[in-house]
Amino acid sequence: MSPTAGDADDARLARHAAGLLHTFNQAGVLDAADVHVAARIGMLGDVAEETVLLAAALAARAPRLGHVCVELTTIARTAGTDEGDAVAGLAWPEPAAWLSSVRASPLVGPGRPLQLDGTLVYLDRLHAQECRVAAALLARAAAATGPTEDVGLDAILDRLFPDDGAGDRQRMAAATAARRRLTVIAGGPGTGKTTTVARLLALLDEQARATGTRPPLVALAAPTGKAAARLQEAVRDEVERLGLDVGGASRRCTASTIHRLLGSRPDTSTRFRHDETHPLVHDVVVVDEASMLSLSLMDRLLAAVRPDARLVLLGDPDQLASVEAGVVLGDIVGQGKPGAEAPMDASVVVLRRNHRFEGAIADLAAAVRDGDPERALELLSAGRDGDGDGGSSLSWIAVPAAAGGDAPEALAGLRAEALDAWGRVTRAALAGEASAALGALGAFRVLCAHRRGPAGASNWTVQLERWLGDSTATMVRPGGWYAGQPLLVTANDYDLRLFNGDTGVVVTTSPGRLAATFERPEGRAELSLSRLSHVETCYAMTIHKAQGSQFDTVAVVLPEEGSRILTRELLYTGITRARRRVVVVGDERSIAAAIERPVARASGLGGRLRRPATGPGQPGSSCRAGS
């Protein structure tokens, strides 16, 4: 809901705003922070031109909504309030005249607070980051490899990827990574990205032995601790399963969060110990869940990886992008952009065949990804493909999001599944079996679009705790600690080496004593409960927080159709967190609205990567040395 003139105490209103800034602030398009940034920039540059200040405010607004910049020629058609409400009746500047005013402004240009790139307006910081990322990616894509890169390559590839037709694109991805300094392996869950990486590492290790050089030093990383642990486990399991552990390659591979790999500094969240002047020592850096990388974090990562090292990015461009500004993986892969040209294409391999789940879940994910609500609803209505235990891999509870606990009959089946899954966690935790309790956390999870509200994770956590508390087999103490309580870390704690998104569980360690145990890439960590500060109970969690995780069964709870964050990518990401079963909770309108609403983030990175030799008016033309 937009603020109104009568809301004198509304923090979203800038009390001293005037002109267009006042109008767009009152309409809810701009909030107070956007107005203050624009006013400050205007004051420092002695500029009062209203259309220029409006462009500055919209550029300041952009990263809050995930955009890197603002597109002046289309913003009038796409802008809404922060809550997703449409706006009407605003007097938007005429685009051509608006661009002319911005281009002529002293606030725009090298060393100035704003940058104009074609029709895109950036804050200088984000423009500089985008230019650096594009330049670094293009340089890596064009970099030549050493003469030893092809030593025995074809013979090793033949052995690692038997010619059965299934691994052709995996073989192509491994060959690309062996020959290039940058490789992007894109594909949905279960398409073999980590399998390909495991075989790639064995390949590089064998090549090193054949040439008498030292084995490459490998770093595995992911945006969250959970995703890093899964990456390390998957790579090691695959290497050892196939008997490819030549020279102990898998044992040398340890995974960490990207922040930890780069060397997080407690005094700043934007700077790291490793950068272009103090690069990482690793020869190969593999980053999973690359769709979660923001423009800023990609900028820092590229600066820290040595120019002669290999960088391998893994991810699904159809998933949710970073919560911060940018859609880097999507820009690199070029989703939905036919006619993409070299040089980046040679570094990108898309894996298409799903090896993890087939049938209804795969079909539903494809229908959502392809924007086909009729097919998705047909699959959900059918509830087909039994899982062998008398159940179905798809279920649809067609109740409005606001119903929540007020629809006990409709939710009876979900309640039974939740009690069964969390009962196993609790029994293991009460018995002090920490590893079993952590493993049982992966059986079931409720995933929500929102954190708060009737369909939010907080509300569903309360509901699930109530269900468990009513069960005679489970002892639950809301607001206190209890065995079997699932935990989610909500902020980085460098002293405890816990990072935002890490998950754990409370277990009994001795009679009357409880502790928290967390899963880390290097193994379990047991911590005193008194040392925990930024954790919350997570029987339910947001879909954003669930990225990088997998569960046997997920219940995806959708908000009402008007929710701003209800998108195709959100629903796709929630569905693809499941290994075996998906339960969708929400009415037909919410499902259709999600599928018909793809995320569109303003960014110039894709243009820079596909048109490196830019001219005036094209994205990339205003990048300058030292940006």
Side-chain angles (χ1 to χ4, degrees), residues 384-465:
R384 60 180 176 84
D385 271 21
D387 58 13
D389 295 318
S392 170
S393 60
L394 286 184
S395 290
W396 177 19
I397 303 175
V399 297
D406 298 327
E409 292 184 5
L411 298 177
L414 182 62
R415 181 180 186 274
E417 285 191 77
L419 290 176
D420 177 65
W422 291 112
R424 279 177 272 150
V425 175
T426 302
R427 287 191 293 273
L430 286 169
E433 298 172 358
S435 294
L438 284 170
L441 286 178
F444 177 90
R445 195 63 56 93
V446 171
L447 304 181
C448 304
H450 292 275
R451 185 178 179 188
R452 297 183 177 87
S458 296
N459 187 59
W460 271 86
T461 287
V462 171
Q463 177 66 66
L464 286 157
E465 279 193 315

Side-chain angles (χ1 to χ4, degrees), residues 456-482:
S458 296
N459 187 59
W460 271 86
T461 287
V462 171
Q463 177 66 66
L464 286 157
E465 279 193 315
R466 187 179 300 123
W467 286 346
L468 290 165
D470 292 340
S471 170
T472 58
T474 307
M475 297 178 61
V476 175
R477 292 185 298 174
W481 302 111
Y482 53 91

Side-chain angles (χ1 to χ4, degrees), residues 603-620:
S603 165
L605 180 61
R608 298 183 201 283
L609 295 177
R610 281 155 187 82
R611 293 187 297 273
T614 53
Q618 291 181 329

Side-chain angles (χ1 to χ4, degrees), residues 44 66 74 81 158 188 231 304 387 405 420 460 466 474 480 523 548 554 567:
L44 292 175
T74 62
T81 68
D158 288 341
L231 174 63
D387 58 13
D420 177 65
W460 271 86
R466 187 179 300 123
T474 307
V554 298
T567 64

Side-chain angles (χ1 to χ4, degrees), residues 20 24 50-52 54 58 72 76 90-99:
L20 288 176
F24 281 73
E50 288 189 32
T51 60
V52 174
L54 176 61
L58 291 169
L72 292 189
L90 288 175
W92 289 91
E94 192 278 323
W98 196 3
L99 281 167

Side-chain angles (χ1 to χ4, degrees), residues 4 23 29 32 104 146 226 237 286 299 303-304 336 351 363 366 425 516 575:
T4 64
T23 300
V29 174
K226 179 70 173 179
D237 287 351
V286 179
D299 181 34
L351 305 181
D363 291 346
V425 175
I575 291 168

Side-chain angles (χ1 to χ4, degrees), residues 337-361:
K337 296 178 181 177
E341 301 175 355
M344 286 301 300
D345 287 1
S347 291
V348 178
V349 180
V350 180
L351 305 181
R352 299 187 176 92
R353 180 175 173 180
N354 192 300
H355 303 274
R356 180 176 302 163
F357 48 71
E358 297 179 347
I361 295 179

